[in-house]
């Protein structure tokens, strides 16, 4: 096996700052830094210089093409490749060309990307614009080597049609407002604040040949039929167990590709469910982390093919088995290395931290619906609320230490102590004692404080992390702005901060919950507390249209009303399309594969019963008879449900896209899908495995 040296290959395919520093004229590099800080506009001359250096570097790496890489509202990335080539001259010769204009602006036809009504097909023009905060890179695979330029994507009229533009806007908002707070507390040394994200990515790995035998996995990304295997994750033997060699070899290749792309992949382990795994990177600025998470997902899928595997990113590929999420770890830090969410050893004395904490609690409580919405995607519907993932109610877990501080402040307006972690005595001579964290974890919480960051755990495994970070940045910026507005005018900062903190802790304490979020009682309790309970994606999309939401986003120039309306519309359309595909896939599989196999199996059961009978030895055939009758009963149920599903899906497909159609899919089509699945899963449990036409859960999950 070849040895990989991470330090030698890390970032080798990235047009990084180190490369630019080396290859660009000093003036051009400095100008780029100013552009990134928002202090200057990029001059055409400089763009040309950067483009040339970028092309030379990419061509040396073997690149023949470049592309503007963007993140339309599909949730996937898109690219349009162009060769580095000029028009042939009279002698038929071409030059390898790439201009500043091509670097900073592209014009993909936008008409095939979702716009939610923002752009009619006859106004098809869309633009991609270079995002110089995220580094360009080359990607190499069997199809060749290409230079990738991260870009934002917008319509001819300037509305954003992508996930990156609002994210960049929200990064500016949080940066500005956080700096105001720092200045209040006397910090004059930091010059910028950035939001960071670290996305822990969960996924399933299955054998490719088996995958190709299941239309549901191929078309819908999840199983639409399937009886639960006798053994799931109950023994806990898969979680952090030894990584199977085949998967290990795959992960090694994944790491190698990612490291070359400058993605700091760090941790991998088996997850709770059989065949489930996790990959966590080291955190980065949220916009770069978002690009990198897309690269992680694409690399996981691409490299799997080389190993005869398939990577399932769907949130719930197997019913009855844990699903996959993406923990979005979020924090704020300054350019000189301070983490604003670090409480220090004695948080009760850290007024700045307590203020930021109060702001975060206010932000989450006021905009819980938006956080819920940002984690809504079709697959996550199957997961949120299950007995594994955070439920659809947004609450915060802060841990005993901070909760104790908040209680002291709420009760008395003051706080005099912080609980400490103390030493962990292992009781084993050879194992050193270590400092315990002051707080245990709560794995059921959708939004947990984990030491020096917040971990938003509801995000779906397949979803982009752009939107959750837009929401986090914006709602935090709003609370920071409010605090700064008050405090900048205060005569006595300390007293005013304390008053504000007490007031906000009191007002928003209801969002803090340290119990078991999976318990039924929590839903009741949350209702009593008046917390929003948004059980599905269609309702969640409505959060985008609320006046409060529009005001929030418009006040920071992050989304316009029209952009929010278009995004809600797109959510409805995505939901309807996804359920439609699932319904059609079920119809196809049941009609062409499953029911015919069942009929054959029943025929065989009946003829074997008859041959026993006709042997004339008086053997009891009542069991066979019962089984034939039972299976025939399920077959009849399935046939009826299939008919219902066909009719209902046709009705749904004929409706106008929008809320009403999406709600119809949710309320009418999904129940019909359930009604078909139930008898089919029952049949799977009673029919000869050799006759079942598709691989079973156990074949997919245990045989890697
Ligand atoms: P935990 O033990 O809480 O899961 P880890 O250190 O394993 O924490 O990190 C989990 C994820 O959180 C990783 O992707 C990591 O990069 C990210 N992370 C760690 N610290 C921060 C931070 N300050 N801001 C954002 N993400 C962070
Ligand atoms: Mg985690």
């Amino acid at each position: 096996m070849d040895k990989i040296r991470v330090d030698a290959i890390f970032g080798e395919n990235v047009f990084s700052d180190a490369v630019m520093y080396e290859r660009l004229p000093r003036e051009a590099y400095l100008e780029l830094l100013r552009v990134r800080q928002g202090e200057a506009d990029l001059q055409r001359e400089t763009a040309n210089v950067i483009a040339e250096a970028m092309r030379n570097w990419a061509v040396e790496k073997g690149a023949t093409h470049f592309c503007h890489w963007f993140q339309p509202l599909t949730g996937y990335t898109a690219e349009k490749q162009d060769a580095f080539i000029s028009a042939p001259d009279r002698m038929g010769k071409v030059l390898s060309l790439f201009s500043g204009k091509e670097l900073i602006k592209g014009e993909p036809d936008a008409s095939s990307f979702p716009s939610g009504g923002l752009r009619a097909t006859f106004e098809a023009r869309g633009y991609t614009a270079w995002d110089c905060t995220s580094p360009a890179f080359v990607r190499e695979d069997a199809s060749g080597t290409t230079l990738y330029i991260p870009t934002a994507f917008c319509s001819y009229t300037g509305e954003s049609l992508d996930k990156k533009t609002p994210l960049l806007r929200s990064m500016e908002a949080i940066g500005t407002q956080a700096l105001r707070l720092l200045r209040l507390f006397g910090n004059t040394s930091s010059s910028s604040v950035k939001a960071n994200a670290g996305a822990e990515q969960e996924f399933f790995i299955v054998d490719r040949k088996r995958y190709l035998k299941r239309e549901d996995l191929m078309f819908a990304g999840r199983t639409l039929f399937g009886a639960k295997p006798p053994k799931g994750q109950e023994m806990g033997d898969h979680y952090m167990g030894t990584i199977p060699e085949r998967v290990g070899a795959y992960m090694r290749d994944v790491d190698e590709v990612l490291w070359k792309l400058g993605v700091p992949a760090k941790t991998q382990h088996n997850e709770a469910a059989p065949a489930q795994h996790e990959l966590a990177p080291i955190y980065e600025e949220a916009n770069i982390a978002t690009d990198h998470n897309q690269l992680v997902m694409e690399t996981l899928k691409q490299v799997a093919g080389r190993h005869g595997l398939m990577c399932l990113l769907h949130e719930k590929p197997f019913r009855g088995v844990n699903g996959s999420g993406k923990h979005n770890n979020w924090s704020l830090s300054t350019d000189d290395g301070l983490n604003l969410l670090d409480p220090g050893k004695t948080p009760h004395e850290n007024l700045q931290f307590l203020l930021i904490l109060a702001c975060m609690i206010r932000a989450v409580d006021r905009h819980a619906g938006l956080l819920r919405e940002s984690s809504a995607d079709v697959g996550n519907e199957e997961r949120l609320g299950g007995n594994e993932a955070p439920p659809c109610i947004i609450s915060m877990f802060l841990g005993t230490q901070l909760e104790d501080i908040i209680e002291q402040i709420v009760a008395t307006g003051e706080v005099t102590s912080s609980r400490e972690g103390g030493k962990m005595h292992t009781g084993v001579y050879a194992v050193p004692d270590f400092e315990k964290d002051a707080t245990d974890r709560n794995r059921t919480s959708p939004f947990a404080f984990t030491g020096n960051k917040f971990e938003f755990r509801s995000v779906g495994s397949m979803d982009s992390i752009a939107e959750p970070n837009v929401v986090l940045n914006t709602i935090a910026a709003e609370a920071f702005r409010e605090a700064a507005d008050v405090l900048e005018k205060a005569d006595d900062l300390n007293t005013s901060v304390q008053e504000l903190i007490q007031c906000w802790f009191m007002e928003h304490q209801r969002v803090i919950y340290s119990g078991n979020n999976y318990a039924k009682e929590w839903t009741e309790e949350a209702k009593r507390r008046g917390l929003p309970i948004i059980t599905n994606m269609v309702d969640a999309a409505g959060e985008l249209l609320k006046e409060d939401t529009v005001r929030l986003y418009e006040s920071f120039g992050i989304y316009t009303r029209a952009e929010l309306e278009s995004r809600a519309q797109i959510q409805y359309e995505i939901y309807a399309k996804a359920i439609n595909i699932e319904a059609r896939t079920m119809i196809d599989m049941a009609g062409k594969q499953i029911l015919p196999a069942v009929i054959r199996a029943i025929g065989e059961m009946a003829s074997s019963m008859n041959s026993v009978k006709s042997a004339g030895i008086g053997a009891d055939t009542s069991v066979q008879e019962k089984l034939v009758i039972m299976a025939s009963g399920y077959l009849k149920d399935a046939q009826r449900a299939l008919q219902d599903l066909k009719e209902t899906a046709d009705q749904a497909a004929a409706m106008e896209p929008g809320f009403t159609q999406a709600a119809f899919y949710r309320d009418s089509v999904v129940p019909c899908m359930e009604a078909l699945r139930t008898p089919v899963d029952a049949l799977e449990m009673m029919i000869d495995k050799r006759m079942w036409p598709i691989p079973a859960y156990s074949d997919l999950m245990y045989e890697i």
Side-chain angles (χ1 to χ4, degrees), residues 210 214 226-227 318 684 689 692 694-701:
R210 291 209 167 87
R214 291 203 57 138
F318 304 103
E684 186 185 344
K689 188 169 163 35
W692 197 250
I694 52 177
Y697 273 19
S698 48
D699 304 330
L700 288 160
M701 279 187 285

Side-chain angles (χ1 to χ4, degrees), residues 196-200 264 266-267 278-284 327-333 339 341 441 450-455 457:
N196 305 304
E200 299 166 65
K266 167 97 176 151
T267 312
E278 177 182 301
L279 185 153
I282 295 171
Y283 67 93
E284 302 172 280
H327 294 175
N328 186 81
N329 294 273
W330 181 90
S331 67
L332 296 169
S333 62
N339 177 354
L341 296 183
R441 289 172 177 254
T450 43
N452 58 6
K453 62 188 192 294
F454 281 104
E455 190 169 337
R457 302 203 181 109

